[in-house]
Every structure is written in C-alpha cells, then in structure tokens.
Amino acid sequence: MQKPERFLKKQQAIVGISFALLGAILIPSTGVAASAEASSQKSTPPDATKATTPAKAVKPTKPTKPTLENGWEDASSLLFNGARDVFTKADAQPGNEERERSLGLAVTLLNVQPRLQSNLDRARERFEALANGTPKDDLAVAAKYFLARMDAFYEMPPRLENARKLYHELIAEHAGNLYAEYGITQLVLMDLYDDIPTEERARRFSALEELAPRLTTQAGRRGYHINMGNAYLTFGKEGEDFHARAIRHLVAAEAEGITRWQVEAASWIAIGELAQAQGQTDLAKTYYGKFLEKYKRDNRHYTIEQRLKALEAPAVPAAPEDPNSPNAPETPGNAENATATATPEAGTPESSL
Amino acid sequence: MREKIFNTLGLGLLALCFIVSVARILLGNSPKEQGAAKDGAEPVTIRFAHWQLENGPRDAFDRIAEEYTKLHPNVRVIPMAIPERIYTNWLVTQLVGETAPDLIEIGMGATEERVARFFTPLADLASSPNPYNRGTDLEGVPLRDTFFDGMEGGYQANLFQYYGVPISGFTVRMFYNLDLLKTVTGSEKLPATYEELVALCRKVEEYNARNHRSITPIAGSKYNGPILMTRLFSSQTQTLSEELSPLGKVDADAVQRINDYMEGKWSLDSEAVRSGFDLMREVGQFMQPGFFQLQRDDATLLFVQKRALMICTGSWDATSIRQQAAFRVGVGQIPFPAKSNPQFGKYTRGALSEAGANAGLSFGLTRHSKHPEIARDFLLFLASRPINELWSKTSGWLPAVVGINVNPDVDPFLPITDGALPGFVPNFPGMADAERIYTNSMHRLFDPFGGTEAFVELIKPNYGKALLSDIERQRRTVLDTVQRSDTQLAALAALAARHPGEVEYQQRLEDFMQSAAVNEQKYLQIRMLIKKTSKTLP
C-alpha cells in the first residue's frame, strides 16, 4: 500500500511541474519578448492630443567608411577612443581634409584611455607638424593653441613660459581666430591664479589689460572680460581699484551676451554686491533686480531680495553697535564683509558701512 | 490504472510544453501578444530601470507604462525595479555587457566616465519643445524650461552635457505621529521652531517617566540622523559663511571654504562651528541610544511601530510611511533655532532655502538601446506635464515639471523658496577623507561622557590633513575635466565650422567655452591653494 502512494505523489508532482512549465511558457516573458526586438523601430514625434503610432524605425545606417564628422561627433560626446578609431580609419582627401584628420587624431590622443605618454608624444608631433607646416590656416592656429595647452596642462611640471609665449604669438598673428582669442581668456586664468606676490599679480593684471583691444570676436571679448572680472573679484583685496575694475569687466562681458545661465547669475550678483559696496546704489539695484526677475528658483533669490529691500528702504540713523547682536560680524575690521552680512534687522547695508 | 492516467497526462503535458516552446521560439512573439497596433506597426519593448522600491513610485511607473501603451499600442513598456543594494553592480554589468535596458535611472554607480561612455547626450532633446506638452501652456517651450530646475538635474556639469531627464523633486521634512502627539501634548500643533521641538522632546520624556513608557522622541539612524543634523548644523554657520564669502560671491563653494580653513579664517574651534556641534549633540540626545549604528529601516520601523514620535526624512519616504503607519501622519518643516534663542540664535539667519534644489530621479538613454527613438519618445512622455502630474498623484512624490497642482499629501513637501542660504558643514560633500574622520569620531559627540570638546579634540589632529588630501583628489578630478575639455573644444569648434548656419552648433560651442572656463578657474584655484598650503603645513 505504501509504495503506490509514494508513486502517486511523484506523478502528481510531475503533473504539477508540467502545468507550471506550461504556464511559464504561455505567459509572455520579458526574455522571450526581447527576442522579438530584432527589427528596430523608430517613431516620429507623436502628437500628445491623439493616439499615434510610432512609424517604422530605420536602424541608423552607418556609412561603410566613417567620416571626419563622425569623429568630431564622437569626440564632442567624450567618446575619445571611438573618435581615435574613426580618425584613424576615416577617408580624407590629401590637403586640408588630411590635415583636419591629423588634427582630429592628435586632439583625441590627448584623452584616449589609458592616458599614455606615447599618445601625448604622438599628439605633440602632429600638432607641431601642423603648426609649423603650410598653410598657416585655421588648422595651423588650432594646432599651435593645443601646443600651448599641452605645455600648460599635460606636461609635468607645466611649462608655463612656453604656453604664455604661444598664447601671445597666437593673438599677435591671428587676431579674430577662435583659438587665438580663446587662448587669451585662458592666459588670463593661467597668469593670475598663481601663487605669486601681490606686486607680480598687479603687474600681470596691467599686462593683461593691454590685450583687450586685440580681441575682435564676441566670444573672445566675453571670455576675456568674464575672466578678468572674476580675477579682480577674487583678488579684490590686493588692489584699491580692483572692485571697480571687476564691475567694469563684468558689465562689459554682459554686453557681449552671456549665454550660460550659471555664469550670468553669478555675474549679476557679483556686479550688484560690488556696486553696493562701492556706493553705486542704482547699479546695485539694477543688477539685483535683474537677478530676481530672471532667477526666481535660485536659492540665492531670498538673500538677494532682502538686500534689494534693504537698499530700497529709507535710510535710518545707525544704532550704536551692539557687540552681542546676532548680526555683528565675527571677523572684525572688514567693511565689505559687514556689507555682506547686513540684514534688514541690522539696518541698511549703507548704515552698516 | 490511476498510475497510467497520471503518467500519460504528465508526459502529454511535457510534450505540449515542448511543442509550445519550439513554436514560440520559431515564430517569435505574436503581434497580438506584443500588443501590436492594428495598422501593422511592429511590436517593440522598451525597458527602464530604477532603484525606487519605495511604495508609490512602482505603482506610478506601471500606470505610466500602461498610458504609453494606450497611446502607442505596439509599444510595451516594462519598468524594472532594481534593489539599491545591487544597483551599482547590476548597472556596471549591464552597461559593460551591452545588455542594459533602454533607459536607466542615473545616479548610483553612474560615474562621469560611465555616463559619457554608455549614455547618449540629450542636448538636442533639452532644447526642443516637448510634443507631449501640446495643448498646455508649455506648448512650444524647450524641454529644459519646463522643469522647475531648468533640467539641471539631468545636466552633467563636468561633461557639459544633458544626459538625463528628471521627473521628481525632493525635500526633507519632519514626520510626526499625530495620534501620539495628541496623547503626549493634548494637541496636534507641530513645532515651528527648534525651541518648540526641544520642548516637545522634553514632554515626551516626561510622558515616558509618568507612564513607564519608552517612546523615543526622534527616530534616528546613521541615515536619518545626519539628514536632520547637517541642516541644523548649517543654520549655525550661516552668519560665518556670509562673513567669509568674498564680496561678490554669496555662496562660496567647498574649495573656498577649505581655502578659508587653511588661511585660518575659521577652525573647528570657531564659536559658530562649536555651536553647530552643540546643536547636533542636543538633538542627538533625543534619538535612541546608539542611533548612529542603526540603519534607515530601523528608524522607519521604530516610527511606524509607534515607538517614536518623530522621524526626519525625505519626501521620498512619505508614501511608504503613510502606507505602513497605523496612525495619522503629520508633516512639517524642519524647525530651526529662532534668532531669539540665547544659545543657538546668535549665528543663524533662519530657515534654509530649498529653492536651488535640483530635480532628481533622472533617466538616461543608453547607447546600446535597440530602440533609441522610441525610448527618447517615452522620455518625453514621462517628462510631459500631464504624465508628470500623473506621476506625482500616483507616487505621492513631488513633480519636476512646472505648473502642476499637487495632492494635499504632497503639498507639505513643496520647496521653501523664501529661506536663507545654508551655511557650510565641516564634512564637505564629496570630501571623502574629511567625511571619514568626521563619521568615525561621531560617537564621541553623542557619548554621555563625551561632547563637543571631546569630539573636536579627536578629529582636530587629522582634519587639516584630510582636507588637504581631499582637495588634492579634487585637483586631479578637475584636471581630468580640463584635459577632456580640450578635445571637446576642438570637436565642437570643428562641428560649428562644418555647420555654419546652424545655431545649435554655435550655441553648444559658446556654452561650452563659458562652462569650460569656470572649470579651468576652479582647477587653477585648487592648484594655487595646494601650493600655498604645502608651504605652511608640515
């Protein structure tokens, strides 16, 4: 009696498993569904107001031979190894196309992973060949610019003198070229953000001021003024008129049209604060107002709003300073900082000054 | 006889299984099963992966997937919920093995390098109107301008590119057991200030003593504790932060603060910093003993089991808590010290602004997606106002798209936009070594025999060195970004030159040049700081 019962149980189990298997097969599984995806599809932008069906997809048809444009697209998307392969294989006519291919290969070699000295050496060779060869066209200028970049950011230790010389040569010989002008905006950063004595920085500021007339493109002038303005702001305590100069440069940058919102918002706040500290209340109000109008969702909004309100409030006689006041600056003797910490409760920023 | 019947039935079923399996493999999934459109469009399956296992989001994703299929009957959308614990490993395996789903939530494990290598840039998507917003006042508005954060939640700053489309906002709040609150205090009034919070905690202690109960005032864990404490701490460094900020920069970054530390402008002995630690210690006393050793789930359990009156956590936990709690849940803003507070009012500027918070839960399109165009279309659908509203209402999470009316349950989580700027915390975000010595010594702050003095004395000898090592790491990271930007510049300039009449190419180049300069300035400032500090530090 025992044996058949055990047998029966086994058979019931087999039947159960079989049903389970059948169920599992009949219920559409994602794995099986995936196998049906062999033919790619592509949709046209659908209309939100009515049900539409994506049109037949066409798998992107890759050209048999990659083009230089493919290489640049890859490089712009940080796919450096892919871009290197494309530039290596791309068809290019002798002449300018071949030189562009060489430039593309060289710039991608700068960032191909793993980053090897041999790649950097190969990149330098190509840049030198392009920069020193003929014609002296935009590709040659670009190559020279990247030689400066290699000296500043790829050599260990950096060869800043070399980079400086190349940046100056570029602007002297190729004003109006994108790379030559962008090089100047980078020269500003390289020269000023350095651990040097105050007098040396002041000398460098003066030298850099003289470069302004050489910039002829909107992008070049904008970059130059933003960097100069921010540098005067950063090293504001090193020169009496640095804050006034910072305002001038940042306003000039704005006139050229700042497109990146973070840069614009930071510039407007900086102009507002500097102007407020300089006693240029109308200018401060203008820039605070512009910031408040455009950047409503910025976490600095409330702080700037309070400052603008304080500026617009009628001046009140300054109360005797209470050392226990919550708004009393912790660091003594810094009038600028006192301005920055002023709140409506503490009186207007002017009264704090 | 019975045996025979079972044997035959079993074998028959197995044979049937085999035949059906072979048929399915040979024929593929039938259009009917795949939900093919009547017009004959071929069936497509889109998958999107995320780690939001909390209650709410999964239902919402299912609903949205259904809605999309209603609109596009040939497209089947499958949400994939991957547990947080394995998300990074899963992500890397899928990306490297080229088996990743079409869309993936970017965040955990998605380093910049992985994002650049495995995800598709979405700049063109960001600058074009979302067709699914047709008929709303967002019709014709570029996608990025339809988000409350300008789509910054999907922007990779160091890659100068949009790689994700965010769908939710997040804030942090105090959650209260309203029934317990009424039992303890006789009222359901939530504390509005830190002083009221402390008074409430003391009432809980008195209630415990009177009734022989052991209700914890605030449920803590190594997850929930810091959420509350970093915010309270940064209320104490608001004034100091303002004073330290150079003119023209109201919100200096961590590098500037570390520079200030190295220049001796603030230290762990600064009054405001000490006050921040005192505040942390005080609030820590109202959490369960040893809370820093406990996990997030421990704190949540304590709260939903009515053994704690309050818990501080994010809007992302709201739906889970509400579903698990057998009591009425109240939600309030974090109560900050009032300026009149004799001990903690001196350094504060008031409640912290949440206006600058970016949207999150950002989905990126993988490069190996078999159906990139449809996946992009689904992203647009997900980010449209009607669907983001559906998302918020179903999940109980905040929306990311502007102009959405939220449920009353979600209302308390709307960001505070009229708050002051937060101060800084000594364990600067992203500074791993400083964070490590800070966290490893935290027990001394909450130890009944410890306190601020003991904690500071413990971390002080290594704090400066930790910051220096962090800043050196930061230097290498930013240098990498600067170097990458050289190749990008050449590429963007070449593309702009190849497409002279196309504004998009010119715009990308101009935006890039401005952002790249910001990074380069940051790199040079860090290098200058390291050079300067190496002269003064041993």
Side-chain angles (χ1 to χ4, degrees), chain A residues 261-281:
Chain A
W261 75 262
Q262 291 95 334
V263 180
E264 183 179 70
S267 293
W268 286 356
I269 290 176
I271 296 170
E273 280 207 321
L274 289 166
Q276 187 178 351
Q278 297 270 306
Q280 299 180 48
T281 310

Side-chain angles (χ1 to χ4, degrees), chain A residues 279-349:
Chain A
Q280 299 180 48
T281 310
D282 286 344
L283 188 64
K285 282 183 192 171
T286 302
Y287 278 90
Y288 284 160
K290 283 169 78 160
F291 172 81
L292 293 174
E293 176 61 29
K294 187 164 178 183
Y295 298 106
K296 292 187 169 72
R297 296 249 4 150
D298 193 293
N299 67 348
R300 296 165 290 190
H301 191 273
Y302 178 77
T303 304
I304 298 303
E305 192 177 51
Q306 298 306 305
R307 289 188 189 177
L308 183 60
K309 276 183 188 166
L311 272 180
E312 285 170 343
V316 290
E321 196 176 323
D322 173 6
N324 296 321
S325 158
N327 300 312
E330 194 176 294
T331 316
N334 188 337
E336 289 163 10
N337 284 339
T339 308
T341 59
T343 63
E345 294 95 324
T348 62

Side-chain angles (χ1 to χ4, degrees), chain B residues 133-152:
Chain B
N133 278 330
R134 209 167 288 162
T136 72
D137 62 347
L138 295 177
E139 181 174 343
V141 176
L143 179 69
R144 66 168 167 252
D145 296 335
T146 65
F147 296 97
F148 71 74
D149 69 337
M151 209 171 145
E152 284 300 302

Side-chain angles (χ1 to χ4, degrees), chain A residues 163-181:
Chain A
R164 191 171 289 119
K165 181 173 159 283
L166 290 170
Y167 283 140
H168 278 288
E169 282 176 13
L170 280 167
I171 197 64
E173 294 162 12
H174 305 284
N177 179 283
L178 178 132
Y179 286 106
E181 302 219 344

Side-chain angles (χ1 to χ4, degrees), chain A residues 2-321:
Chain A
Q2 294 271 335
K3 201 176 171 185
E5 262 181 28
R6 259 207 325 268
F7 216 75
L8 205 63
K9 273 181 189 168
K10 266 188 196 169
Q11 281 162 342
Q12 282 170 339
I14 290 170
V15 172
I17 291 166
S18 303
F19 271 116
L21 271 172
L22 188 62
I25 291 164
L26 289 174
I27 294 166
S29 71
T30 56
V32 178
S35 68
E37 295 171 28
S39 58
S40 295
Q41 303 252 325
K42 184 176 185 179
S43 75
T44 49
D47 185 342
T49 55
K50 58 180 182 183
T52 56
T53 314
K56 286 248 178 188
V58 183
K59 201 162 189 175
T61 48
K62 286 207 168 174
T64 46
K65 272 268 189 184
T67 63
L68 295 181
E69 174 124 358
N70 297 144
W72 290 125
E73 283 289 356
D74 279 357
S76 74
S77 305
L78 306 173
L79 298 173
F80 303 127
N81 289 37
R84 186 258 323 263
D85 295 344
V86 171
F87 283 122
T88 305
K89 293 173 193 161
D91 266 340
Q93 300 295 320
N96 267 2
E97 264 202 3
E98 179 52 37
R99 293 171 70 242
E100 184 180 342
R101 192 178 76 85
S102 186
L103 181 76
L105 188 55
V107 291
T108 50
L109 283 171
L110 294 177
N111 282 292
V112 158
Q113 294 296 323
R115 194 175 270 135
L116 301 172
Q117 186 57 45
S118 57
N119 282 339
L120 296 181
D121 292 342
R122 284 170 59 204
R124 181 175 281 281
E125 273 171 31
R126 285 177 180 271
F127 288 140
E128 279 172 351
L130 284 166
N132 299 328
T134 48
K136 299 288 182 202
D137 59 359
D138 287 351
L139 291 170
V141 179
K144 193 166 186 173
Y145 166 85
F146 286 111
L147 284 171
R149 297 294 292 171
M150 287 195 77
D151 285 332
F153 289 101
Y154 296 80
E155 296 295 337
M156 195 53 69
R159 302 197 296 221
L160 298 183
E161 269 312 314
N162 273 6
R164 191 171 289 119
K165 181 173 159 283
L166 290 170
Y167 283 140
H168 278 288
E169 282 176 13
L170 280 167
I171 197 64
E173 294 162 12
H174 305 284
N177 179 283
L178 178 132
Y179 286 106
E181 302 219 344
Y182 196 51
I184 291 307
T185 69
Q186 287 164 329
L187 178 65
V188 169
L189 297 175
M190 190 183 87
D191 267 359
L192 298 175
Y193 293 90
D194 201 358
D195 186 28
I196 47 174
T198 307
E199 304 75 42
E200 172 59 15
R201 192 161 8 251
R203 194 195 62 73
R204 290 186 184 183
F205 264 122
S206 301
L208 290 165
E209 286 284 7
E210 286 170 19
L211 294 174
R214 297 199 192 173
L215 298 164
T216 62
T217 66
Q218 191 186 19
R221 285 193 300 263
R222 177 179 51 219
Y224 167 80
H225 286 304
I226 289 173
N227 288 353
M228 286 293 278
N230 284 333
Y232 276 123
L233 195 63
T234 304
F235 303 105
K237 288 177 185 168
E238 293 184 8
E240 271 183 19
D241 62 344
F242 277 16
H243 286 156
R245 284 168 181 263
I247 295 176
R248 210 163 57 230
H249 278 291
L250 291 174
V251 170
E254 194 205 358
E256 301 293 345
I258 299 173
T259 59
R260 193 77 191 113
W261 75 262
Q262 291 95 334
V263 180
E264 183 179 70
S267 293
W268 286 356
I269 290 176
I271 296 170
E273 280 207 321
L274 289 166
Q276 187 178 351
Q278 297 270 306
Q280 299 180 48
T281 310
D282 286 344
L283 188 64
K285 282 183 192 171
T286 302
Y287 278 90
Y288 284 160
K290 283 169 78 160
F291 172 81
L292 293 174
E293 176 61 29
K294 187 164 178 183
Y295 298 106
K296 292 187 169 72
R297 296 249 4 150
D298 193 293
N299 67 348
R300 296 165 290 190
H301 191 273
Y302 178 77
T303 304
I304 298 303
E305 192 177 51
Q306 298 306 305
R307 289 188 189 177
L308 183 60
K309 276 183 188 166
L311 272 180
E312 285 170 343
V316 290
E321 196 176 323

